[in-house]
DNA sequence: TCAAGTGATGGGACTTGGTCTCATCAACCG
DNA sequence: CGGTTGATGAGACCAAGTCCCATCACTTGA
């Protein structure tokens, strides 16, 4: 494993975030990101499949944790409990460093359509993986879909609150999902 | 309003769908679509903002209908009822012609990441517009999010069934949403 | 110590998506 | 019949993304 300057990937991520922040995503060329990281365009595309992906690293790890979180919940528990297990399982990835860069990253994504597309796609990917994991436990398709979508709503809420206030993400996520449960139950009564 | 061969936009849509079907989305160049439609690349990009968009026309109309459907539901009704109003409102766009091309279009989209991204983005757009419409009626943010996501699950289910069996989309959507309601209520009991 | 092998990088040609500008041409209007 | 308008054609141009091959740092084995 030959190595020159290590952490090429990290350097690319940092350079990209800085440049996007300074001059906007659209005004930044991939060659420029690579240059600031002391690399070339070729090397950039060896680390990331396209210009957007530099902002969405670590997704594979999240997917694995979500699935493991569902698989690790006792079979006797309902689908919503399994989804809660998934949300708690990804808490290990919500580090302080991630929280520090979170707002900047969110601002960059929100400002650009291409990036919002990729974001929506990632979220849809999470949904789809969790639904499959639930179906493998014998949960009917519609039940799985509803449980997962409620979980995704809770995830969004929890992420926002965690970025603002910090704390243990697992705890924040559990509380958010409880609120979603209550709201979902009340919706029925309101009809 | 000068006109030569009319329906340039429709011709582009048909040419694109045919070509994507025949040789795949990635193996088709925009110039080729334009050529088959008897036009040029320049004209293509005057009708669609990018290569993907040719498969996602009519979204603005859907958004308007969704919002109108929510606004047209009595204030006394709960958020889920308003979402049902939105689903019923878009039924007018589910024509026989759309049903004929639906499976082919779905197959093309499913086979390509870029297109699935655009699809996820469109869906997220629908969610966001409906949530805003609900919040304008005074529905709390979390309630709006939950109601809308349940509605989107119902919409997906209904679309699949309508493609298979046809019939009145409004009716199919209402039934799907009822099932989602039941499932959501049962999820609570299962914990 | 040195030669071969390996993995990451550099470099440049090439295709295509997408933008921009200017010329053209058909219809409409007075 | 001349001017205007709106849609189109033509082509230059830039950046994203792919491919192929050369190169260099480091490792391994004799």
């Amino acid at each position: 494993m030959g190595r020159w300057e290590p952490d090429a990937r990290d350097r690319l991520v940092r350079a990209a975030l800085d440049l996007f922040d300074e001059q906007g995503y659209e005004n930044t060329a991939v060659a420029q990101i690579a240059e600031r990281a002391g690399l070339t365009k070729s090397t950039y595309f060896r680390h990331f499949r396209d210009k957007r992906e530099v902002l969405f690293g670590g997704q594979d790890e999240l997917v694995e944790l979500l699935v493991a979180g569902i698989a690790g919940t006792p079979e006797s528990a309902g689908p919503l409990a399994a989804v809660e297990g998934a949300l708690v399982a990804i808490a290990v990835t919500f580090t302080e460093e991630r929280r520090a860069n979170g707002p900047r990253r969110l601002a960059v994504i929100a400002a650009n359509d291409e990036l919002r597309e990729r974001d929506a796609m990632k979220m849809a990917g999470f949904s789809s993986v969790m639904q499959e994991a639930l179906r493998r436990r014998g949960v009917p398709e519609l039940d799985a879909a509803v449980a997962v979508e409620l979980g995704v709503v809770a995830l969004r809420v929890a992420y926002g609150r965690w970025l603002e206030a910090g704390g243990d993400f697992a705890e924040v996520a559990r509380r958010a999902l409880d609120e979603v449960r209550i709201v979902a139950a009340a919706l029925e009564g309101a009809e």
Side-chain angles (χ1 to χ4, degrees), chain A residues 126-179:
Chain A
F126 296 158
S127 289
S128 140
V129 196
M130 285 194 278
Q131 284 186 45
E132 270 182 49
L134 284 180
R135 274 190 280 153
R136 273 197 297 274
R137 313 171 107 223
V139 176
E141 195 153 340
L142 190 58
D143 298 54
V146 168
V148 164
E149 291 310 320
L150 292 179
V152 169
V153 169
L155 174 57
R156 284 216 184 81
V157 170
Y159 184 55
R161 290 182 185 166
W162 176 78
L163 278 186
E164 273 188 17
D168 177 21
F169 182 80
E171 200 49 49
V172 178
R174 263 193 285 258
R175 269 204 297 272
L177 191 58
D178 278 341
E179 291 175 36

Side-chain angles (χ1 to χ4, degrees), chain A residues 45-183:
Chain A
F45 282 109
R46 262 183 218 103
H47 286 278
F48 304 99
R49 70 179 150 97
D50 57 35
K51 184 178 171 186
R52 304 164 202 108
E53 198 62 15
V54 70
L55 286 172
F56 296 89
Q59 188 228 6
D60 295 346
E61 188 194 356
L62 273 187
V63 165
E64 284 172 25
L65 288 171
L66 287 170
V67 172
I70 288 180
T73 306
E75 291 272 349
S76 60
L80 254 186
V83 168
E84 182 173 316
L87 297 192
V88 169
I90 60 174
V92 294
T93 69
F94 287 72
T95 63
E96 267 310 308
E97 188 237 342
R98 184 166 168 201
R99 193 174 155 237
N101 278 328
R104 208 158 52 123
R105 184 175 161 276
L106 277 191
V108 170
I109 294 176
N112 182 274
D113 270 354
E114 283 184 39
L115 296 174
R116 294 198 300 154
E117 281 196 358
R118 178 60 51 88
D119 194 51
M121 178 72 164
K122 295 290 185 186
M123 276 298 188
F126 296 158
S127 289
S128 140
V129 196
M130 285 194 278
Q131 284 186 45
E132 270 182 49
L134 284 180
R135 274 190 280 153
R136 273 197 297 274
R137 313 171 107 223
V139 176
E141 195 153 340
L142 190 58
D143 298 54
V146 168
V148 164
E149 291 310 320
L150 292 179
V152 169
V153 169
L155 174 57
R156 284 216 184 81
V157 170
Y159 184 55
R161 290 182 185 166
W162 176 78
L163 278 186
E164 273 188 17
D168 177 21
F169 182 80
E171 200 49 49
V172 178
R174 263 193 285 258
R175 269 204 297 272
L177 191 58
D178 278 341
E179 291 175 36
V180 168
R181 262 193 267 255
I182 292 171
V183 166

